[in-house]
Amino acid sequence: MDAVRVALLREVLAGTEWPGATRRFAGALRSSVLPHGGGLLLVGTAEYEPWHLAAHLVDEAAWSGTPELTPTLVRHGARPGDPAHLAVGLGRIEAARRGETLLVVAPDAPGAPLLERVHDARRAGATVLALDCGDHDLHAMAHEALAVPSEPDLDLDTVQHLVSAAAGENSLPSPRGRRRLRDRLSRLADQLTSPPPARW
C-alpha cells in the first residue's frame, strides 16, 4: 500500500482510535529495534504467516533509511531447501535473546506451542510485541500489544498497513527514558568540541 492510500485510510479512520493506536504501536516497534541495531523477528501462527507485513517492513526500512526495521520472517513450515529468507524456522524464536524483538501477528489464537516459544524468548530477554485478535495469554507475555477486533470496516491486514507505514515515518517521537549511549556520547563530543561562548 503506497503513501497516498495510507493517507486516505488514515483520513477515513480519523476520529477513531486507530491512527493514534497504530502510531503508538509502531513507535514501540521502532524504539525496541533501533537502539539494538535490528534483530526483528516476525512470526505468525501455523495457519497465518505475515508475508505482507514482512514485505511492507522491508520497503519501509529501505525508504526511511532504517535498516533495523527489516524483519526476519520466522515460519512454521520452513524447510531446509527453502531460499535463505524463507528457511528460518521456529527454532529461531528459541534462540532469541536480549536486544532482539519478537513481533507476533495472530489473527486467531496462537496455540500452545507458539506461546511456549514466545514465553521462552521473553524469559531470555527479548522484547515481545503482539498484533493480534486480543488473545489473553499472548497479551500477558507482550511488552506492547495491539488487539484488532473483528469489524466489517477494519481488519488485521489494514492495521498492518498502518503499523508498517507509521514504523517507517522518521517523524515518530523518540522514546522517553534513558538515551542511547551513542546519543549521549555524541552530545558530549559536541559540547567538548564547540568553541567557548564569547565573553564581553
Side-chain angles (χ1 to χ4, degrees), residues 7-22:
L8 288 172
L9 185 55
R10 285 178 177 158
E11 191 174 314
V12 168
L13 294 171
T16 71
E17 66 176 304
W18 292 106
T22 53

Side-chain angles (χ1 to χ4, degrees), residues 57-141:
L57 286 171
V58 168
D59 289 344
E60 292 295 339
W63 294 332
S64 66
T66 314
E68 298 89 348
L69 288 173
T70 303
T72 297
L73 181 62
V74 178
R75 301 181 59 223
H76 290 257
R79 297 181 303 266
D82 289 337
H85 69 288
L86 301 177
V88 179
L90 293 175
R92 180 63 183 88
I93 297 175
E94 295 167 10
R97 295 291 175 257
R98 183 172 306 283
E100 292 185 300
T101 300
L102 175 60
L103 173 53
V104 182
V105 181
D108 300 302
L114 178 58
L115 286 173
E116 288 172 16
R117 287 182 166 94
V118 171
H119 177 69
D120 290 344
R122 179 176 169 127
R123 254 192 355 206
T127 300
V128 176
L129 304 177
L131 184 57
D132 71 334
C133 59
D135 183 80
H136 175 73
D137 293 327
L138 181 56
H139 280 227
M141 285 184 246

Side-chain angles (χ1 to χ4, degrees), residues 3-195:
V4 173
R5 288 183 184 167
V6 169
L8 288 172
L9 185 55
R10 285 178 177 158
E11 191 174 314
V12 168
L13 294 171
T16 71
E17 66 176 304
W18 292 106
T22 53
R23 279 196 164 107
R24 279 190 300 277
F25 188 82
L29 174 60
R30 279 180 69 108
S31 66
S32 67
V33 298
L34 294 185
H36 301 290
L40 175 58
L41 305 175
L42 176 61
V43 68
T45 63
E47 296 77 26
Y48 177 85
E49 290 187 334
W51 301 87
H52 210 59
L53 180 58
H56 280 294
L57 286 171
V58 168
D59 289 344
E60 292 295 339
W63 294 332
S64 66
T66 314
E68 298 89 348
L69 288 173
T70 303
T72 297
L73 181 62
V74 178
R75 301 181 59 223
H76 290 257
R79 297 181 303 266
D82 289 337
H85 69 288
L86 301 177
V88 179
L90 293 175
R92 180 63 183 88
I93 297 175
E94 295 167 10
R97 295 291 175 257
R98 183 172 306 283
E100 292 185 300
T101 300
L102 175 60
L103 173 53
V104 182
V105 181
D108 300 302
L114 178 58
L115 286 173
E116 288 172 16
R117 287 182 166 94
V118 171
H119 177 69
D120 290 344
R122 179 176 169 127
R123 254 192 355 206
T127 300
V128 176
L129 304 177
L131 184 57
D132 71 334
C133 59
D135 183 80
H136 175 73
D137 293 327
L138 181 56
H139 280 227
M141 285 184 246
H143 293 89
E144 187 77 29
L146 181 59
V148 183
S150 295
E151 295 180 6
D153 299 332
L154 189 72
D155 60 12
L156 187 64
D157 285 338
T158 302
V159 172
Q160 288 179 67
H161 284 300
L162 292 171
V163 167
S164 61
E169 291 174 347
N170 289 319
S171 60
L172 283 172
S174 59
R176 296 182 186 267
R178 295 186 303 168
R179 289 195 192 111
R180 293 186 303 177
L181 177 61
R182 185 172 37 185
D183 293 339
R184 289 184 288 180
L185 289 175
S186 174
R187 188 171 195 192
L188 178 61
D190 288 344
Q191 290 173 347
L192 292 175
T193 58
S194 62

